[in-house]
Amino acid sequence: MDNYRPVSFWFDSLDDPVLDLREPPAQVDVAIIGAGFTGLWTAYYLKKKQPRLQIAVFEAETVGFGASGRNGGWCMGTATGIEHMLSVPSLQAEGIRLQQALENTVDEIERVCQAESIDCHFARGGTLNVAGTPEVAKRSQQWVEHLHRLGFKDSEYCWLDQAQSEKRIGLSRNLGAYYTTHCAAIHPGRLVRGLAEVNRALGVQIIEKAPVFNYTRVPDGSLLLSTGRGAVRAEKIIRATEGYTESIQGQQRSMLPLYSMVVATEPLSPEIWQEIGLTRRETFGDGRRVVIYGQRTVDDRLVFGGRAGYYFGSKRRALIPATDKAVKIVEASARELIPALRDPALGETVFSHGWGGLMGVPRHWRPCVTFDERSRIGWAGGYTGEGVGASNLAGRIMCDLVAGEKSDLTTLAWVDDVPRRWEPEPIRWLGVKSIEFFGDRADRREANNQSAGIWGSLFNRFVG
Ligand SMILES: Cc1cc2nc3c(=O)[nH]c(=O)nc-3n(C[C@H](O)[C@H](O)[C@H](O)COP(=O)(O)OP(=O)(O)OC[C@H]3O[C@@H](n4cnc5c(N)ncnc54)[C@H](O)[C@@H]3O)c2cc1C
């Protein structure tokens, strides 16, 4: 690819990237595959800890080309799988520790952005999970009570009644909201590129247009990466390739690539924002299983995403055009959910951008960070669409693991929680399509004020 503007609104709002096409070094201490948040946070903390370490990040396209440059910009103080941990008594203590580490992660990202002058439009408005149906309202209230019983504070996790919630956000169905302060809205393109610049200034080499095809051990004991730009020897290798992991030889069933689609409007008028609200730039969703997510940008656009898609055989598409059917469905659901977007009295809402991106889903549906000291190979990821904040924590954990240091981070539940591989096709495709179907069915029943019934149970059984 040579034109990266269609990647996302975030990319289109920035200058064209100036690619680093220098020859890769023949040998490095640490080779990181993938210049998304995971790879770049890992490189950042490692280089800060051990400034003499020679670190090279290999990126198949350009910095932030994957999910990191395409997401909804929720920097969340939680992650996939935590709800389950907090619900099961035997996992609660570990779940609470992980949840607290993720809350601190939002602070940590804000701290680094300030310290390193990365202006990623960070706004800690928290997040509103609006209940559009009585079932979701009931579940959310019960969840807030459960969190309070576990010791989480009402000032940080609370239920807003209908009147309070309507003051914060104008949605067509708003019966109240679960609100948490632990989330910030960001411009992810600015964060990922800013992080790359900081890394380069520290001496990390980020080599773009350098796909890694495979890596092997050679007779002298070192590791050899075969890249599109030649062979490189490395002492240690970290894979940070998330939804693209199957591009590496031997990893075809490690991570399931699942698409999510996003749209962005032109900057909206003050009249429209008067109706929508989000004055603190709170991010928002509405508790359905096939998730939707939105944020108000610094320049008053609405960025709105949702819908998951899987293509047979884990097929990937470099770009999803704005005209794609699944993108159009997301646009329609934004108009349906937010009355101000379809009110002619407020003027026309123009959706200027539409795109899609790849999330990485591991077989157990929760993140993992692992580094094997014997093989000197590790990987981190599996955030299943909730990795903007989580990847920072993963990067810090990986840094300690690679440095061989025991710390509070290296005993968190993600460490060495290695998933089994996905099933071969066509079982994989059938499984994902069934989960999509169960989620859709359960959401539709709840939207019609019916219980999710068997569809909700089946969805939970597979997704956890
Ligand atoms: C549409 C969408 C919306 C999302 N919204 C949110 C959100 O609002 N909040 C949230 O918390 N999370 C969200 N996520 C998830 C979040 O963006 C990701 O979890 C996170 O960015 C993952 O970062 P990463 O560095 O692990 O992976 P990626 O950003 O995908 O980076 C992997 C990189 O590796 C490169 N690569 C892959 N294979 C190779 C190879 N063989 N050789 C060299 N390079 C390679 C890729 O080109 C890519 O740049 C969303 C994801 C998507 C797709």
Side-chain angles (χ1 to χ4, degrees):
M1 279 181 64
D2 50 10
N3 176 14
Y4 291 110
R5 290 200 163 267
V7 162
S8 66
F9 156 69
W10 312 116
F11 264 43
D12 195 34
S13 70
L14 298 172
D15 292 339
D16 288 331
V18 179
L19 302 185
D20 185 341
L21 300 174
R22 277 178 297 170
E23 281 303 303
Q27 177 132 18
V28 292
D29 296 320
V30 181
I32 297 175
I33 311 171
F37 289 138
T38 304
L40 295 172
W41 282 123
T42 302
Y44 174 77
Y45 288 108
L46 259 179
K47 192 71 179 172
K48 282 275 192 184
K49 194 187 282 272
Q50 299 183 358
R52 287 165 168 240
L53 220 52
Q54 275 206 14
I55 304 175
V57 182
F58 295 88
E59 167 54 51
E61 287 287 347
T62 182
V63 165
F65 179 78
S68 301
R70 306 179 189 225
N71 59 71
W74 290 36
C75 181
M76 303 158 69
T78 190
T80 312
I82 304 243
E83 247 182 68
H84 176 70
M85 292 181 80
L86 295 178
S87 305
V88 177
S90 60
L91 302 175
Q92 270 164 7
E94 280 307 299
I96 291 171
R97 221 157 69 78
L98 195 50
Q99 177 67 22
Q100 286 166 345
L102 282 155
E103 291 170 359
N104 295 338
T105 295
V106 183
D107 298 334
E108 170 64 7
I109 293 174
E110 185 175 23
R111 183 194 70 75
V112 175
C113 287
Q114 275 170 8
E116 306 288 2
S117 303
I118 301 173
D119 178 8
C120 67
H121 301 166
F122 188 98
R124 191 195 291 258
T127 193
L128 290 159
N129 193 3
V130 178
T133 68
E135 271 296 312
V136 175
K138 191 167 111 198
R139 261 204 313 274
S140 299
Q141 278 170 285
Q142 286 170 347
W143 182 245
V144 171
E145 284 159 18
H146 179 67
L147 290 178
H148 292 168
R149 276 197 298 277
L150 293 180
F152 292 97
K153 295 191 203 125
D154 184 56
S155 55
E156 295 171 21
Y157 299 89
C158 64
W159 170 253
L160 304 178
D161 64 24
Q162 183 165 1
Q164 290 169 319
S165 180
E166 282 173 346
K167 264 194 211 149
R168 305 283 284 268
I169 183 165
L171 299 187
S172 50
R173 296 179 298 277
N174 187 342
L175 305 178
Y178 159 47
Y179 175 72
T180 169
T181 52
H182 294 291
C183 188
I186 63 157
H187 182 310
R190 283 173 160 260
L191 180 57
V192 74
R193 289 227 190 135
L195 202 50
E197 284 316 304
V198 170
N199 266 305
R200 283 178 169 131
L202 290 172
V204 172
Q205 197 171 340
I206 301 172
I207 305 147
E208 297 172 284
K209 293 272 186 200
V212 173
F213 305 124
N214 67 19
Y215 41 83
T216 47
R217 183 172 304 282
V218 286
D220 70 2
S222 60
L223 299 163
L224 190 71
L225 292 100
S226 154
T227 87
R229 307 269 296 285
V232 178
R233 273 172 198 267
E235 191 54 34
K236 298 175 179 174
I237 294 180
I238 308 299
R239 205 179 72 224
T241 48
E242 195 63 346
Y244 300 78
T245 300
E246 64 89 36
S247 63
I248 297 174
Q249 197 180 30
Q251 302 296 337
Q252 278 70 19
R253 283 164 49 201
S254 302
M255 198 74 80
L256 185 125
L258 198 63
Y259 275 93
S260 182
M261 310 302 178
V262 195
V263 291
T265 65
E266 291 285 6
L268 299 175
S269 67
E271 292 74 26
I272 294 186
W273 280 114
Q274 180 81 19
E275 295 297 314
I276 303 178
L278 302 178
T279 50
R280 304 178 203 176
R281 291 190 57 214
E282 302 93 324
T283 57
F284 69 94
D286 76 349
R288 66 182 93 170
R289 291 169 183 79
V290 184
V291 289
I292 55 112
Y293 45 92
Q295 76 143 294
R296 177 178 184 168
T297 63
V298 120
D299 64 344
D300 278 340
R301 295 169 191 264
L302 177 80
V303 169
F304 184 90
R307 225 48 241 169
Y310 173 72
Y311 301 114
F312 189 86
S314 296
K315 191 167 161 255
R316 284 180 285 118
R317 293 161 68 186
L319 290 177
I320 303 278
T323 49
D324 188 278
K325 202 171 118 206
V327 176
K328 288 288 169 202
I329 293 176
V330 170
E331 185 181 313
S333 74
R335 286 191 199 274
E336 193 267 324
L337 190 65
I338 306 172
L341 300 183
R342 54 188 149 88
D343 183 350
L346 296 172
E348 195 197 355
T349 295
V350 177
F351 283 85
S352 54
H353 295 78
W355 68 94
L358 266 183
M359 311 180 292
V361 184
R363 184 62 180 79
H364 61 11
W365 295 80
R366 49 184 191 263
C368 168
V369 186
T370 183
F371 181 75
D372 177 21
E373 280 178 12
R374 274 195 313 163
S375 68
R376 304 191 305 277
I377 297 171
W379 68 270
Y383 313 106
T384 312
E386 299 191 354
V388 172
S391 54
N392 170 282
L393 180 59
R396 283 183 286 140
I397 298 173
M398 184 61 90
C399 168
D400 286 357
L401 292 176
V402 171
E405 288 178 9
K406 301 260 178 286
S407 70
D408 285 350
L409 299 181
T410 59
T411 52
L412 288 171
W414 288 350
V415 177
D416 295 336
D417 184 13
V418 179
R420 64 184 166 97
R421 279 145 59 88
W422 281 93
E423 289 74 2
E425 297 288 23
I427 301 169
R428 192 157 76 231
W429 184 86
L430 284 169
V432 182
K433 290 291 157 190
S434 305
I435 292 169
E436 267 177 48
F437 179 77
F438 302 150
D440 251 342
R441 260 332 234 305
D443 286 342
R444 262 194 239 166
R445 282 182 63 89
E446 287 189 351
N448 292 326
N449 292 338
Q450 294 169 306
S451 135
I454 179 80
W455 307 114
S457 312
L458 283 167
F459 183 84
N460 288 345
R461 194 187 149 81
F462 284 102
V463 177

